[in-house]
Amino acid sequence: MKRVRKAIFPVGGLGTRFLPATKAMPKEMLPVVDKPLIQYAVEEASAAGIEDFIFVTGRGKSAIEDHFDYSHELQQTLVERNKTKELESIANLLPVPGQVVYLRQQEPLGLGHAVWCARRLVEDEPVAVLLADDLIKSDTPCLKQMVEAYERTGGNIVAVMDVPREHTNRYGVLRPGRDDGRLVEVMGLVEKPKPADAPSTACVIGRYILQPEIFRELDRQETGAGNEIQLTDAMARLIGRQPFHGLRFEGRRFDCGDKAGFIEANIAFALAHPDIGPQAEDILRRFGRELKPAGAAA
Ligand code: G1P
């Protein structure tokens, strides 16, 4: 079985849900406390043993490249001012030269298309895909949990979480087979079904380990839900030909593609932050006292 060494980060999306914040800044650079979303995803991949980082970007995303690059001026200034802690905070951002590739998705044709754009860099190896919008707070990084599962099952693995039935139209949804509560056999996948049509409430969260055959399926460039080239549809065609599992990961997932989810993530990460945790707690308590009880008249 080939080890998972490569990861794709689709970061070409426009981030319209966060306008005007994302007019001139990539949504992946939105900070949760003091780190941009994309850095959480890259650190998670790195902790899972990923060695090659492939960013599928688009116009207006150069801040992401700058973030993972050496900033001579900043570095120099911090050294001169003896800002050791600040220096440390940026020291780990530098990938080994040659480990990172940026390529452009020229047209926003969907997640499947973004992943397909990386096909020539992945070649015949398994590959991880991480969507930075899905931020996961856990003891063991989510992708690491998936790699460990992959070492037992092989094939394809998606991160899975149960959601309220009325939300199935936001996700790829599993038709589950054998299920031991943690590892679920995937018998089918549907992208964004209406709640009444959803085969279950077990949904795909933005972490994938995929076999290179996915690219042959994506080669078809067929459009699906929302008239986009869907990764879910390509994955569905691998079922039955290769092992395919969902992993109910340990951890809490925040939907940072959504304003409320993004605020929730900031609160959770602030509370757990070594510098500002106690302050964040005080702030929340104060707000709590000011809030009217749920359901009270305005
Ligand atoms: C994408 C995928 C969907 C998956 C979701 C997880 O949707 O298409 O299958 O469940 O990510 O966040 P998007 O959120 O880009 O609409």
Side-chain angles (χ1 to χ4, degrees), residues 182-228:
R182 184 161 159 84
L183 211 55
V184 194
E185 207 179 342
V186 180
M187 311 298 286
L189 282 167
V190 202
E191 181 67 8
K192 302 197 169 82
K194 291 193 199 114
D197 302 333
S200 77
T201 55
C203 291
V204 177
I205 299 306
R207 300 288 183 278
Y208 310 78
I209 292 175
L210 300 169
Q211 293 304 309
E213 285 74 21
I214 193 74
F215 296 110
R216 302 294 78 73
E217 299 306 325
L218 289 168
D219 278 342
R220 300 178 182 209
Q221 306 269 300
E222 270 173 25
T223 54
N227 212 21
E228 293 189 343

Side-chain angles (χ1 to χ4, degrees), residues 17 27 110-112 131 133-134 159 168-173 189-192 203-208 228-233 235 253 255 257:
R17 281 200 270 171
K27 64 171 174 169
L111 177 60
L131 309 185
D133 281 2
D134 283 325
T168 56
N169 58 357
R170 303 178 189 172
Y171 298 95
V173 181
L189 282 167
V190 202
E191 181 67 8
K192 302 197 169 82
C203 291
V204 177
I205 299 306
R207 300 288 183 278
Y208 310 78
E228 293 189 343
I229 300 171
Q230 294 291 355
L231 183 60
T232 301
D233 297 342
M235 291 193 300
R253 171 260 187 179
D255 178 5

Side-chain angles (χ1 to χ4, degrees), residues 26-170:
K27 64 171 174 169
E28 296 79 9
M29 288 301 293
L30 289 170
V32 169
V33 186
D34 51 8
K35 269 196 263 180
L37 283 170
I38 188 64
Q39 191 179 332
Y40 287 96
V42 165
E43 286 177 358
E44 183 183 327
S46 189
I50 296 299
E51 294 165 5
D52 289 346
F53 301 80
I54 305 165
F55 289 81
V56 182
T57 74
R59 292 181 76 79
K61 297 281 182 166
S62 53
I64 297 176
E65 295 180 45
D66 292 340
H67 185 70
F68 293 104
D69 197 4
Y70 189 77
S71 167
H72 187 72
E73 239 176 50
L74 176 63
Q75 201 99 1
Q76 213 41 44
T77 311
L78 293 177
V79 170
E80 279 161 21
R81 296 190 184 164
N82 248 326
K83 302 252 181 201
T84 325
K85 202 166 171 204
E86 288 78 358
L87 261 172
E88 267 170 27
S89 79
I90 59 165
N92 297 334
L93 286 176
L94 279 188
V96 174
Q99 264 195 335
V100 182
V101 180
Y102 299 93
L103 62 94
R104 280 198 182 194
Q105 181 189 20
Q106 290 141 327
E107 287 178 280
L109 299 178
L111 177 60
H113 180 260
V115 169
W116 176 79
C117 286
R119 68 202 176 282
R120 299 178 68 139
L121 295 169
V122 176
E123 295 184 314
D124 60 350
E125 290 190 33
V127 66
V129 178
L130 294 95
L131 309 185
D133 281 2
D134 283 325
L135 178 56
I136 298 163
K137 192 169 180 301
S138 55
D139 292 337
T140 306
C142 180
L143 189 65
K144 186 155 194 266
Q145 298 177 42
M146 292 170 70
V147 167
E148 283 163 9
Y150 170 77
E151 282 162 0
R152 298 195 305 273
T153 62
N156 305 275
I157 301 197
V158 290
V160 164
M161 192 179 97
D162 282 287
V163 307
R165 184 163 275 275
E166 63 269 26
H167 293 170
T168 56
N169 58 357
R170 303 178 189 172

